[in-house]
Amino acid sequence: YEVHADYLRVLEVDAVSPANTAGLRPGDRITAIDGQRVDALGEIGARQAMDRGALRPLALTVVRSGGAPQEINVRVDAVYPAR
């Protein structure tokens, strides 16, 4: 993902990841993580919240192509591949 002031933009979704199973797609904008807005979390807080996806499920509020926000639940596991 790429960090912006008020959202995280999904750059890539691994085909065998829980994020893919949950329905995340490249280009999605994550605006909240577990009910906390990305702009309130700040960059470090947002990164830490996403990293917690390896330990517990995440509820992500996602905006896709200017549509209405929707909640996507990602099961426990890595949300993105480690690099």
Side-chain angles (χ1 to χ4, degrees):
Y1 58 87
E2 177 180 81
V3 180
H4 293 264
D6 58 349
Y7 67 92
L8 305 176
R9 185 167 64 96
V10 177
L11 299 175
E12 182 180 338
V13 179
D14 189 334
V16 295
S17 71
N20 183 56
T21 302
L24 277 177
R25 300 179 191 160
D28 284 352
R29 293 179 178 212
I30 299 169
T31 58
I33 304 165
D34 290 333
Q36 297 185 328
R37 292 185 358 221
V38 169
D39 60 347
L41 290 168
E43 181 176 351
I44 293 171
R47 288 182 186 278
Q48 290 172 338
M50 290 295 285
D51 287 344
R52 284 192 291 272
L55 304 173
R56 64 177 179 74
L58 293 177
L60 305 175
T61 303
V62 174
V63 175
R64 182 172 291 148
S65 299
Q70 59 182 304
E71 187 166 298
I72 293 180
N73 294 298
V74 181
R75 69 177 171 83
V76 175
D77 206 345
V79 176
Y80 54 88
R83 295 181 188 212

